[in-house]
PDB file of all heavy atoms in Angstrom:
ATOM      1  N   ASP A 273     -20.102 100.729   2.545  1.00 79.00           N
ATOM      2  CA  ASP A 273     -18.803 101.376   2.650  1.00 79.00           C
ATOM      3  C   ASP A 273     -17.805 100.810   1.655  1.00 79.00           C
ATOM      4  O   ASP A 273     -16.822 101.464   1.316  1.00 79.00           O
ATOM      5  CB  ASP A 273     -18.234 101.186   4.066  1.00 79.00           C
ATOM      6  CG  ASP A 273     -18.761 102.235   5.035  1.00 79.00           C
ATOM      7  OD1 ASP A 273     -19.348 103.211   4.564  1.00 79.00           O
ATOM      8  OD2 ASP A 273     -18.590 102.060   6.253  1.00 79.00           O
ATOM      9  N   THR A 274     -18.045  99.583   1.212  1.00 89.00           N
ATOM     10  CA  THR A 274     -17.080  98.886   0.361  1.00 89.00           C
ATOM     11  C   THR A 274     -17.786  98.304  -0.853  1.00 89.00           C
ATOM     12  O   THR A 274     -18.804  97.622  -0.719  1.00 89.00           O
ATOM     13  CB  THR A 274     -16.407  97.742   1.146  1.00 89.00           C
ATOM     14  OG1 THR A 274     -15.798  98.277   2.324  1.00 89.00           O
ATOM     15  CG2 THR A 274     -15.365  97.048   0.296  1.00 89.00           C
ATOM     16  N   ILE A 275     -17.255  98.600  -2.046  1.00 95.00           N
ATOM     17  CA  ILE A 275     -17.775  98.029  -3.285  1.00 95.00           C
ATOM     18  C   ILE A 275     -16.586  97.477  -4.063  1.00 95.00           C
ATOM     19  O   ILE A 275     -15.673  98.228  -4.416  1.00 95.00           O
ATOM     20  CB  ILE A 275     -18.519  99.079  -4.139  1.00 95.00           C
ATOM     21  CG1 ILE A 275     -19.622  99.759  -3.323  1.00 95.00           C
ATOM     22  CG2 ILE A 275     -19.112  98.425  -5.395  1.00 95.00           C
ATOM     23  CD1 ILE A 275     -20.314 100.898  -4.076  1.00 95.00           C
ATOM     24  N   MET A 276     -16.585  96.175  -4.308  1.00 95.00           N
ATOM     25  CA  MET A 276     -15.498  95.547  -5.055  1.00 95.00           C
ATOM     26  C   MET A 276     -16.066  94.574  -6.077  1.00 95.00           C
ATOM     27  O   MET A 276     -17.068  93.912  -5.825  1.00 95.00           O
ATOM     28  CB  MET A 276     -14.545  94.789  -4.121  1.00 95.00           C
ATOM     29  CG  MET A 276     -13.800  95.656  -3.136  1.00 95.00           C
ATOM     30  SD  MET A 276     -12.622  94.658  -2.159  1.00 95.00           S
ATOM     31  CE  MET A 276     -11.983  95.920  -1.044  1.00 95.00           C
ATOM     32  N   LEU A 277     -15.405  94.492  -7.207  1.00 97.00           N
ATOM     33  CA  LEU A 277     -15.770  93.522  -8.234  1.00 97.00           C
ATOM     34  C   LEU A 277     -14.704  92.439  -8.261  1.00 97.00           C
ATOM     35  O   LEU A 277     -13.519  92.711  -8.456  1.00 97.00           O
ATOM     36  CB  LEU A 277     -15.865  94.182  -9.610  1.00 97.00           C
ATOM     37  CG  LEU A 277     -16.191  93.230 -10.773  1.00 97.00           C
ATOM     38  CD1 LEU A 277     -17.619  92.713 -10.640  1.00 97.00           C
ATOM     39  CD2 LEU A 277     -15.993  93.928 -12.118  1.00 97.00           C
ATOM     40  N   GLY A 278     -15.140  91.185  -8.051  1.00 96.00           N
ATOM     41  CA  GLY A 278     -14.225  90.064  -8.110  1.00 96.00           C
ATOM     42  C   GLY A 278     -14.402  89.308  -9.419  1.00 96.00           C
ATOM     43  O   GLY A 278     -15.527  89.121  -9.893  1.00 96.00           O
ATOM     44  N   VAL A 279     -13.300  88.884 -10.022  1.00 97.00           N
ATOM     45  CA  VAL A 279     -13.321  88.103 -11.253  1.00 97.00           C
ATOM     46  C   VAL A 279     -12.481  86.856 -11.020  1.00 97.00           C
ATOM     47  O   VAL A 279     -11.331  86.946 -10.595  1.00 97.00           O
ATOM     48  CB  VAL A 279     -12.758  88.913 -12.446  1.00 97.00           C
ATOM     49  CG1 VAL A 279     -12.805  88.074 -13.725  1.00 97.00           C
ATOM     50  CG2 VAL A 279     -13.525  90.219 -12.630  1.00 97.00           C
ATOM     51  N   PHE A 280     -13.066  85.682 -11.296  1.00 96.00           N
ATOM     52  CA  PHE A 280     -12.393  84.411 -11.021  1.00 96.00           C
ATOM     53  C   PHE A 280     -12.336  83.577 -12.299  1.00 96.00           C
ATOM     54  O   PHE A 280     -13.359  83.191 -12.846  1.00 96.00           O
ATOM     55  CB  PHE A 280     -13.152  83.662  -9.926  1.00 96.00           C
ATOM     56  CG  PHE A 280     -12.491  82.393  -9.452  1.00 96.00           C
ATOM     57  CD1 PHE A 280     -11.156  82.105  -9.737  1.00 96.00           C
ATOM     58  CD2 PHE A 280     -13.204  81.470  -8.685  1.00 96.00           C
ATOM     59  CE1 PHE A 280     -10.552  80.945  -9.300  1.00 96.00           C
ATOM     60  CE2 PHE A 280     -12.612  80.299  -8.233  1.00 96.00           C
ATOM     61  CZ  PHE A 280     -11.282  80.036  -8.548  1.00 96.00           C
ATOM     62  N   ASP A 281     -11.126  83.348 -12.781  1.00 96.00           N
ATOM     63  CA  ASP A 281     -10.902  82.473 -13.930  1.00 96.00           C
ATOM     64  C   ASP A 281     -10.585  81.089 -13.372  1.00 96.00           C
ATOM     65  O   ASP A 281      -9.462  80.825 -12.930  1.00 96.00           O
ATOM     66  CB  ASP A 281      -9.733  83.009 -14.773  1.00 96.00           C
ATOM     67  CG  ASP A 281      -9.523  82.216 -16.063  1.00 96.00           C
ATOM     68  OD1 ASP A 281      -9.897  81.031 -16.103  1.00 96.00           O
ATOM     69  OD2 ASP A 281      -8.977  82.793 -17.033  1.00 96.00           O
ATOM     70  N   THR A 282     -11.589  80.211 -13.364  1.00 94.00           N
ATOM     71  CA  THR A 282     -11.422  78.912 -12.721  1.00 94.00           C
ATOM     72  C   THR A 282     -10.498  77.981 -13.496  1.00 94.00           C
ATOM     73  O   THR A 282      -9.950  77.038 -12.935  1.00 94.00           O
ATOM     74  CB  THR A 282     -12.788  78.221 -12.529  1.00 94.00           C
ATOM     75  OG1 THR A 282     -13.425  78.062 -13.808  1.00 94.00           O
ATOM     76  CG2 THR A 282     -13.687  79.041 -11.627  1.00 94.00           C
ATOM     77  N   LYS A 283     -10.325  78.229 -14.781  1.00 94.00           N
ATOM     78  CA  LYS A 283      -9.444  77.386 -15.593  1.00 94.00           C
ATOM     79  C   LYS A 283      -7.985  77.776 -15.394  1.00 94.00           C
ATOM     80  O   LYS A 283      -7.120  76.924 -15.207  1.00 94.00           O
ATOM     81  CB  LYS A 283      -9.816  77.492 -17.067  1.00 94.00           C
ATOM     82  CG  LYS A 283      -9.045  76.548 -17.979  1.00 94.00           C
ATOM     83  CD  LYS A 283      -9.547  76.615 -19.416  1.00 94.00           C
ATOM     84  CE  LYS A 283      -8.818  75.630 -20.302  1.00 94.00           C
ATOM     85  NZ  LYS A 283      -9.314  75.680 -21.704  1.00 94.00           N
ATOM     86  N   ALA A 284      -7.725  79.070 -15.431  1.00 94.00           N
ATOM     87  CA  ALA A 284      -6.349  79.555 -15.260  1.00 94.00           C
ATOM     88  C   ALA A 284      -5.961  79.665 -13.791  1.00 94.00           C
ATOM     89  O   ALA A 284      -4.793  79.914 -13.482  1.00 94.00           O
ATOM     90  CB  ALA A 284      -6.183  80.913 -15.941  1.00 94.00           C
ATOM     91  N   LYS A 285      -6.938  79.503 -12.878  1.00 92.00           N
ATOM     92  CA  LYS A 285      -6.701  79.631 -11.436  1.00 92.00           C
ATOM     93  C   LYS A 285      -6.145  81.009 -11.097  1.00 92.00           C
ATOM     94  O   LYS A 285      -5.173  81.152 -10.349  1.00 92.00           O
ATOM     95  CB  LYS A 285      -5.732  78.545 -10.941  1.00 92.00           C
ATOM     96  CG  LYS A 285      -6.178  77.122 -11.204  1.00 92.00           C
ATOM     97  CD  LYS A 285      -7.405  76.753 -10.391  1.00 92.00           C
ATOM     98  CE  LYS A 285      -7.780  75.298 -10.568  1.00 92.00           C
ATOM     99  NZ  LYS A 285      -9.017  74.929  -9.857  1.00 92.00           N
ATOM    100  N   LYS A 286      -6.791  82.025 -11.659  1.00 94.00           N
ATOM    101  CA  LYS A 286      -6.390  83.406 -11.385  1.00 94.00           C
ATOM    102  C   LYS A 286      -7.622  84.211 -10.998  1.00 94.00           C
ATOM    103  O   LYS A 286      -8.743  83.898 -11.424  1.00 94.00           O
ATOM    104  CB  LYS A 286      -5.717  84.025 -12.602  1.00 94.00           C
ATOM    105  CG  LYS A 286      -4.366  83.417 -12.949  1.00 94.00           C
ATOM    106  CD  LYS A 286      -3.724  84.142 -14.129  1.00 94.00           C
ATOM    107  CE  LYS A 286      -2.350  83.559 -14.461  1.00 94.00           C
ATOM    108  NZ  LYS A 286      -1.716  84.247 -15.610  1.00 94.00           N
ATOM    109  N   ALA A 287      -7.403  85.235 -10.202  1.00 94.00           N
ATOM    110  CA  ALA A 287      -8.513  86.064  -9.759  1.00 94.00           C
ATOM    111  C   ALA A 287      -8.079  87.525  -9.689  1.00 94.00           C
ATOM    112  O   ALA A 287      -6.891  87.835  -9.566  1.00 94.00           O
ATOM    113  CB  ALA A 287      -9.015  85.604  -8.393  1.00 94.00           C
ATOM    114  N   SER A 288      -9.060  88.410  -9.796  1.00 95.00           N
ATOM    115  CA  SER A 288      -8.824  89.856  -9.680  1.00 95.00           C
ATOM    116  C   SER A 288      -9.837  90.429  -8.710  1.00 95.00           C
ATOM    117  O   SER A 288     -10.978  89.959  -8.627  1.00 95.00           O
ATOM    118  CB  SER A 288      -8.971  90.554 -11.043  1.00 95.00           C
ATOM    119  OG  SER A 288      -8.060  90.033 -11.984  1.00 95.00           O
ATOM    120  N   LEU A 289      -9.418  91.455  -7.975  1.00 93.00           N
ATOM    121  CA  LEU A 289     -10.300  92.138  -7.036  1.00 93.00           C
ATOM    122  C   LEU A 289     -10.135  93.641  -7.264  1.00 93.00           C
ATOM    123  O   LEU A 289      -9.064  94.200  -7.028  1.00 93.00           O
ATOM    124  CB  LEU A 289      -9.933  91.766  -5.601  1.00 93.00           C
ATOM    125  CG  LEU A 289     -10.903  92.178  -4.495  1.00 93.00           C
ATOM    126  CD1 LEU A 289     -12.259  91.509  -4.694  1.00 93.00           C
ATOM    127  CD2 LEU A 289     -10.334  91.820  -3.122  1.00 93.00           C
ATOM    128  N   ILE A 290     -11.206  94.280  -7.755  1.00 95.00           N
ATOM    129  CA  ILE A 290     -11.141  95.678  -8.155  1.00 95.00           C
ATOM    130  C   ILE A 290     -12.033  96.520  -7.254  1.00 95.00           C
ATOM    131  O   ILE A 290     -13.234  96.257  -7.130  1.00 95.00           O
ATOM    132  CB  ILE A 290     -11.589  95.852  -9.626  1.00 95.00           C
ATOM    133  CG1 ILE A 290     -10.775  94.923 -10.541  1.00 95.00           C
ATOM    134  CG2 ILE A 290     -11.466  97.307 -10.046  1.00 95.00           C
ATOM    135  CD1 ILE A 290      -9.282  95.157 -10.500  1.00 95.00           C
ATOM    136  N   SER A 291     -11.451  97.531  -6.626  1.00 94.00           N
ATOM    137  CA  SER A 291     -12.220  98.447  -5.783  1.00 94.00           C
ATOM    138  C   SER A 291     -12.907  99.505  -6.638  1.00 94.00           C
ATOM    139  O   SER A 291     -12.317 100.052  -7.572  1.00 94.00           O
ATOM    140  CB  SER A 291     -11.312  99.143  -4.773  1.00 94.00           C
ATOM    141  OG  SER A 291     -10.774  98.222  -3.852  1.00 94.00           O
ATOM    142  N   ILE A 292     -14.159  99.791  -6.289  1.00 96.00           N
ATOM    143  CA  ILE A 292     -14.915 100.861  -6.935  1.00 96.00           C
ATOM    144  C   ILE A 292     -15.171 101.922  -5.867  1.00 96.00           C
ATOM    145  O   ILE A 292     -15.968 101.697  -4.943  1.00 96.00           O
ATOM    146  CB  ILE A 292     -16.250 100.329  -7.499  1.00 96.00           C
ATOM    147  CG1 ILE A 292     -15.978  99.196  -8.505  1.00 96.00           C
ATOM    148  CG2 ILE A 292     -17.047 101.453  -8.152  1.00 96.00           C
ATOM    149  CD1 ILE A 292     -17.229  98.495  -8.986  1.00 96.00           C
ATOM    150  N   PRO A 293     -14.485 103.062  -5.918  1.00 94.00           N
ATOM    151  CA  PRO A 293     -14.663 104.086  -4.887  1.00 94.00           C
ATOM    152  C   PRO A 293     -16.132 104.448  -4.689  1.00 94.00           C
ATOM    153  O   PRO A 293     -16.870 104.609  -5.664  1.00 94.00           O
ATOM    154  CB  PRO A 293     -13.854 105.269  -5.430  1.00 94.00           C
ATOM    155  CG  PRO A 293     -12.792 104.620  -6.271  1.00 94.00           C
ATOM    156  CD  PRO A 293     -13.464 103.444  -6.912  1.00 94.00           C
ATOM    157  N   ARG A 294     -16.552 104.561  -3.459  1.00 92.00           N
ATOM    158  CA  ARG A 294     -17.966 104.756  -3.146  1.00 92.00           C
ATOM    159  C   ARG A 294     -18.519 106.069  -3.684  1.00 92.00           C
ATOM    160  O   ARG A 294     -19.726 106.200  -3.890  1.00 92.00           O
ATOM    161  CB  ARG A 294     -18.189 104.708  -1.629  1.00 92.00           C
ATOM    162  CG  ARG A 294     -17.288 105.638  -0.843  1.00 92.00           C
ATOM    163  CD  ARG A 294     -17.585 105.609   0.630  1.00 92.00           C
ATOM    164  NE  ARG A 294     -18.782 106.363   0.952  1.00 92.00           N
ATOM    165  CZ  ARG A 294     -19.325 106.406   2.161  1.00 92.00           C
ATOM    166  NH1 ARG A 294     -18.801 105.708   3.153  1.00 92.00           N
ATOM    167  NH2 ARG A 294     -20.397 107.125   2.393  1.00 92.00           N
ATOM    168  N   ASP A 295     -17.632 107.049  -3.937  1.00 94.00           N
ATOM    169  CA  ASP A 295     -18.083 108.349  -4.449  1.00 94.00           C
ATOM    170  C   ASP A 295     -18.062 108.424  -5.971  1.00 94.00           C
ATOM    171  O   ASP A 295     -18.273 109.498  -6.542  1.00 94.00           O
ATOM    172  CB  ASP A 295     -17.209 109.474  -3.873  1.00 94.00           C
ATOM    173  CG  ASP A 295     -17.386 109.632  -2.371  1.00 94.00           C
ATOM    174  OD1 ASP A 295     -18.496 109.323  -1.870  1.00 94.00           O
ATOM    175  OD2 ASP A 295     -16.430 110.046  -1.689  1.00 94.00           O
TER     176      ASP A 295
END
Side-chain angles (χ1 to χ4, degrees):
D273 275 347
T274 303
I275 305 175
M276 296 184 183
L277 178 68
V279 181
F280 186 15
D281 185 334
T282 59
K283 186 175 183 179
K285 302 293 185 184
K286 292 183 179 180
S288 301
L289 191 62
I290 306 301
S291 294
I292 302 173
R294 52 177 283 174
D295 294 331

